[in-house]
Amino acid sequence: MRRARPGAAARVHDFEGFYTSGFPAVYRATLAFSGSSDVAAEATPEAFVRAVARGRRLSRAPWALGWVMTTSLNVARRLARQHPQERGPESDAAHESDARWVERLDLVERLALLPPRQRQAVVLHYLGGFELAEVAQLMNLSIGGVKSNLFKGREALRRTQEARDHADD
């Protein structure tokens, strides 16, 4: 009998464990990407349902959680196009301190200004914790393409932060 490899891929067979352990990271990345808790709450479970539909093919993949995260971002992108008026920063974090919430809201607003490819690369790499090679595979780009999107995204985020800092002076 063939045994599944340990890690996220093996947990797809144990859907409840895979869902429970992966949901928080996928939800956070989708929230940061979309800027909407409603979109993140709809896209994240849908991505996990699609993973179950893929069954065995996905369960053998060492990048199963990355596939779910990318799928969630794609679903979020589709939902944002269908309901653009609903897109925008909001809070699920009623218990967060005001300072932390303002910082989080600012990041979500600034991420929303990035072009989709830059935003996806930034979210996958910095919020999702994926290595460059994994992001490249998930986005169907070369590592150089990922680096370019990350560089441009970081520069755009830096410029918007600097502009806000100067506006506050």
Side-chain angles (χ1 to χ4, degrees):
M1 182 189 299
R2 190 173 153 151
R3 298 176 114 192
R5 289 184 284 180
R11 290 192 306 259
V12 175
H13 286 302
D14 168 25
F15 180 75
E16 185 176 347
F18 180 65
Y19 183 83
T20 302
S21 66
F23 186 91
V26 174
Y27 178 85
R28 280 192 310 272
T30 306
L31 175 61
F33 181 77
S34 69
S36 168
S37 61
D38 289 339
V39 169
E42 187 173 341
T44 303
E46 182 175 330
F48 278 97
V49 167
R50 290 181 184 187
V52 170
R54 289 222 171 223
R56 293 182 124 198
R57 284 185 300 176
L58 187 61
S59 70
R60 293 186 194 131
W63 39 262
L65 188 60
W67 184 92
V68 172
M69 189 172 292
T70 299
T71 300
S72 185
L73 299 181
N74 289 335
V75 171
R77 186 180 297 121
R78 177 182 48 85
L79 291 170
R81 278 194 306 262
Q82 290 173 347
H83 308 288
Q85 70 281 2
E86 295 175 15
R87 189 168 184 264
E90 18 181 293
S91 173
D92 281 338
H95 302 291
E96 283 185 285
S97 71
D98 288 343
R100 181 166 164 88
W101 167 241
V102 167
E103 183 179 296
R104 182 175 158 213
L105 180 62
D106 181 57
L107 175 62
V108 170
E109 287 175 342
R110 289 187 297 133
L111 280 169
L113 298 174
L114 294 177
R117 294 296 256 178
Q118 290 175 20
R119 185 171 57 241
Q120 185 176 12
V122 167
V123 167
L124 287 170
H125 184 65
Y126 294 112
L127 299 176
F130 291 96
E131 298 294 327
L132 292 175
E134 294 171 311
V135 175
Q137 184 177 22
L138 292 168
M139 293 181 66
N140 197 26
L141 293 174
S142 66
I143 290 177
V146 171
K147 287 180 179 180
S148 175
N149 278 295
L150 288 173
F151 175 79
K152 290 175 184 175
R154 282 192 314 267
E155 286 300 303
L157 290 170
R158 183 187 55 75
R159 284 191 306 273
T160 60
Q161 182 61 46
E162 287 175 355
R164 287 179 186 200
D165 290 346
H166 289 299
D168 291 340
D169 290 340

